[in-house]
């Protein structure tokens, strides 16, 4: 536990900063190389996976449970609370 009380000298601080800068510069250059080598994916879809059904309310059991758990509700709506930060 002696290392916790060790004070860092100005020389050590300078060396640490230089090492950190070197690591960040190296990492940054490696990231920029990755971005150059990766092509932008092209996704074209004529059909979508999601099918929407109008007029259908979903799982009635789920709806019932959600409304039972909701502290404030009005007919078919759950009333949410807006917080002010």
């Amino acid at each position: 536990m002696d290392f916790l009380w060790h004070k860092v000298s100005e020389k050590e601080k300078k060396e640490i900063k230089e090492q950190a800068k070197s690591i960040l510069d190296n990492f940054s250059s490696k990231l920029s190389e990755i971005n150059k080598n990766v092509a932008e994916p092209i996704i074209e879809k004529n059909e979508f996976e999601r099918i929407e059904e109008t007029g259908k309310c979903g799982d009635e059991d789920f709806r019932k449970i959600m409304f039972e758990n909701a502290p404030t509700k009005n007919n078919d709506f759950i009333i949410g609370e807006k917080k002010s930060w």
Side-chain angles (χ1 to χ4, degrees):
M1 294 290 256
D2 290 336
F3 66 93
L4 292 176
W5 304 108
H6 175 71
K7 296 204 177 206
V8 180
S9 69
E10 289 302 317
K11 181 181 176 186
E12 289 172 318
K13 285 181 186 179
K14 184 178 177 184
E15 289 175 2
I16 292 169
K17 284 182 182 181
E18 289 173 357
Q19 289 175 353
K21 183 173 178 0
S22 173
I23 291 169
L24 287 173
D25 290 344
N26 188 21
F27 183 69
S28 176
S29 68
K30 295 293 181 188
L31 280 179
S32 65
E33 290 174 16
I34 291 172
N35 290 337
K36 290 177 186 175
N37 295 331
V38 176
E40 185 72 28
I42 299 172
I43 299 173
E44 294 182 16
K45 291 185 178 183
N46 294 330
E47 297 179 19
F48 296 98
E49 296 175 10
R50 179 177 174 177
I51 299 171
E52 293 187 22
E53 297 178 19
T54 58
K56 191 170 181 181
C57 204
D59 186 8
E60 285 297 323
D61 291 334
F62 177 76
R63 180 181 172 81
K64 181 181 173 188
I65 292 169
M66 288 297 292
F67 273 90
E68 286 175 358
N69 288 332
T72 310
K73 50 198 163 255
N74 181 3
N75 296 331
D76 288 339
F77 301 98
I78 295 173
I79 300 173
E81 180 180 315
K82 182 180 177 184
K83 292 285 186 180
S84 60
W85 300 95

